Amino acid sequence: MLRSRLAGLGELAAGCGADAWLVGGPVRDLLLGRAAPDLDLAVEGPPEAVARAIAEELGGRVRKTTDFMTATVELPGGEEIDIARTRSECYRDPGALPEVAPAGLVEDLQRRDFTVNAMAMALAPERFGELVDPHGGLQDLHARRLRVLHDASFDDDPTRMLRAARFMLRLGFELEERTAELMARAAEQRRLAELSGARLRNELRRIFRRAPGEALATLQRLDLLVAMGLNAATDEAMEACGRLPEAETPLGLRLGDRKATAACLGLYAAFSDERAEGLAERLMLAADERDTLVAAAELAAAPPGELAGPVPDSELFFALRGTSQGAAAALWTVLDDEQRSRLEHFWRDLRGTEADISGEDLKAAGHQPGPAFSDALAAALAAKIDRRASAEEQLQVALAMLRSSGRANG
C-alpha cells in the first residue's frame, strides 16, 4: 500500500520534470519498521508544481508555500505531505534562520541534523527504492546512535540539541561519543539561550509529548535547561512530573500535549526556583498554557489548606474553583493520599456547581446591585453545596446576607 503510494508520488513528480526522494525521518522510520506520521519529499525541480500535481491527483489542497522553497499538501483526512526543493543552507549567525539556495540531493542531505535523518529513498520510476546514504546513517541506525554530520552542527542550529533529546526519548537512541562532546560544549556555552521563545516552545512541546517526567529528566541529564538559560531541575520537580500521567485516571481527565507540557513546566518552576511568569513569557506561551503553567506552579508550591483537613464542601469548592485540568493534575502529584481524595472529590462531585438563583432574583426582591451581591450569591451557593438547599432556600440565605450587610453598612 505505502510502496504503491510512494511510487505514485514519484511518477507525479516525474510528470512535472522533477526527481523526487523520500527523505529524513520517514526514511528512518521505514527502516526501523515504524509508521511515519507524515511524508517528506525532496525534489530536484519546482516544489510548487509537484505540490499542485499531488493535490489534484489525491483530492487535497496546497496549504502553504514558503521562502524556503517548500510546499505542503493537505489531504482530505488531515494527512500532510511536505515537499521541498533540494537545497543548501548557510548560517550567517549562530542560531539564525538559514539562507537557502537550490542544490543537489547530496548537498541537501548534508544540511540535516543527524546521520539517521540524512538518508533518502529514490521515488523516480527508473530507480525506485534506491537508498542514498552518503553519511553512514544506516550503520548508525542499526547501532541506535545519533551522530551529527559536522562539528559546527549545534552552533549552526542549536535546536538540534533539543531534537536530539526528542529522538532519544522517542526512539531510545543514544548520542555518539563525539556528538555528546559537541553537545555538552554547546550546552555549556548556553547556545539554546540565543533562540527565540517560539522556537524553544515548539521544540519543547514535541519533547514533552510523551512521558513528561522522563522528558524533564532527559533535559536535565543533557544540561539543556541550563543551556536555555534556566535553572537546573530538582529531583522533586522530576519526580512530580513523572507522576502527572497517574493523575489522569483518578481525576477522570485527559491532559493532551499542551496541557501536560504546561503542567510539567509549572511543576518544574515550583520546585526549581524558576519564576513561573518569567518562564511562560520566555517561551511565548499562549494564554491558556501560560495560565495553566502559573496556576500549576502556585498550587504545587502551596497547596490550599482546605485539602489538609476536614472542611465543609463549600470551603473546598471556593478554594479550588476555576482550577484548570493541567493545574489540578499538577496539584495531585504533590499531595498525600488523604489530600488527593479531597481533590478528587472536588473534581468529581463539586466542580462546576452553580447556584440556582442569580442577581436578577435579588433585584426582583427589591435590592440594588452592588458589591454585596457577590457575597450573597456565594452564600446561596454554599448552602446548595453543604445543605442541598433548594432554590427558595438559597434565595432566603442570599436575602438574609444582604439584610445583614445593609445593617452593617448602616
Side-chain angles (χ1 to χ4, degrees):
M1 179 68 147
L2 179 59
R3 178 184 176 88
S4 62
R5 185 179 189 190
L6 291 174
L9 294 175
E11 292 173 359
L12 288 169
C16 297
D19 282 336
W21 291 268
L22 186 70
V23 293
V27 177
R28 177 202 68 219
D29 288 343
L30 284 175
L31 291 171
L32 288 172
R34 299 169 61 100
D38 292 309
L39 298 180
D40 294 338
L41 304 186
V43 298
E44 284 191 350
E48 295 85 358
V50 176
R52 286 193 296 270
I54 292 174
E56 182 176 350
E57 177 70 19
L58 300 181
R61 67 186 182 97
V62 180
R63 186 167 59 83
K64 63 180 180 181
T65 60
T66 74
D67 294 336
F68 292 96
M69 294 181 285
T70 66
T72 298
V73 176
E74 187 177 82
L75 301 182
E79 181 186 359
E80 293 184 349
I81 299 177
D82 290 325
I83 303 155
R85 173 70 164 89
T86 52
R87 61 197 192 273
S88 63
E89 291 181 347
C90 177
Y91 292 86
R92 297 298 181 187
D93 298 297
L97 293 175
E99 297 178 9
V100 300
L105 176 66
V106 173
E107 193 169 0
D108 183 88
L109 295 177
Q110 175 65 35
R111 69 185 178 81
R112 306 282 167 163
D113 48 11
F114 304 102
T115 60
V116 295
N117 296 328
M119 296 180 285
M121 188 183 85
L123 301 184
E126 66 275 11
R127 51 197 172 111
F128 181 83
E130 175 186 325
L131 184 67
V132 180
D133 179 19
H135 303 289
L138 186 60
Q139 183 178 359
D140 286 334
L141 193 70
H142 291 321
R144 305 190 73 79
R145 65 183 171 226
L146 297 173
R147 177 163 56 91
V148 292
L149 276 63
H150 55 86
D151 283 3
S153 182
F154 297 126
D155 295 330
D156 286 346
D157 185 0
T159 62
R160 290 170 177 165
M161 302 164 70
L162 294 172
R163 291 205 290 274
R166 173 157 53 94
F167 295 138
M168 293 169 73
L169 286 163
R170 181 183 171 215
L171 303 174
F173 284 17
E174 288 298 330
L175 298 176
E176 174 266 338
E177 184 176 357
R178 177 58 178 164
T179 298
E181 293 174 358
L182 293 170
M183 191 153 137
R185 184 181 71 187
E188 185 177 0
Q189 294 171 343
R190 299 197 172 191
R191 290 295 188 194
L192 288 171
E194 303 165 0
L195 299 179
S196 70
R199 293 181 72 186
L200 289 176
R201 176 198 64 220
N202 292 339
E203 291 296 333
L204 288 175
R205 281 178 180 164
R206 298 183 183 102
I207 290 172
F208 280 96
R209 187 164 292 166
R210 296 174 178 83
E214 187 179 353
L216 184 63
T218 298
L219 293 175
Q220 173 62 19
R221 175 164 66 91
L222 298 174
D223 289 330
L224 297 187
L225 294 166
V226 173
M228 285 185 267
L230 303 173
N231 293 328
T234 63
D235 290 342
E236 190 174 11
M238 290 185 283
E239 290 168 3
C241 285
R243 289 191 289 269
L244 265 177
E246 300 174 29
E248 292 188 328
T249 298
L251 292 176
L253 51 81
R254 180 71 177 165
L255 290 178
D257 297 341
R258 287 162 59 98
K259 293 174 184 174
T261 297
C264 193
L265 290 174
L267 289 167
Y268 156 72
F271 298 117
S272 303
D273 198 27
E274 192 71 49
R275 192 171 68 87
E277 293 85 350
L279 179 60
E281 183 178 352
R282 173 71 180 94
L283 298 178
M284 301 174 66
L285 298 184
D288 61 328
E289 293 175 290
R290 180 196 64 226
D291 293 345
T292 293
L293 189 160
V294 172
E298 291 175 349
L299 288 170
E306 288 80 1
L307 291 168
V311 296
D313 278 355
S314 60
E315 293 187 24
L316 187 63
F317 173 86
F318 288 119
L320 295 172
R321 181 167 59 172
T323 302
S324 66
Q325 291 186 11
L331 175 58
W332 188 93
T333 67
V334 304
L335 302 178
D336 61 32
D337 289 343
E338 188 174 349
Q339 293 170 322
R340 285 176 179 173
S341 178
R342 293 193 181 96
L343 174 60
E344 292 160 16
H345 169 53
F346 160 78
W347 196 261
R348 186 175 54 247
D349 306 320
L350 304 178
R351 180 174 57 101
T353 305
E354 296 180 352
D356 297 315
I357 64 170
S358 69
E360 294 301 317
D361 297 299
L362 303 184
K363 288 194 291 184
H367 291 272
Q368 294 299 315
F373 266 34
S374 178
D375 291 338
L377 292 173
L381 179 53
K384 177 179 180 178
I385 292 172
D386 293 335
R387 302 191 278 110
R388 298 186 180 179
S390 65
E392 179 58 34
E393 290 169 333
Q394 293 171 47
L395 178 60
Q396 295 307 314
V397 168
L399 294 176
M401 175 70 75
L402 288 174
R403 289 193 294 270
S404 174
S405 174
R407 287 193 295 270
N409 291 334

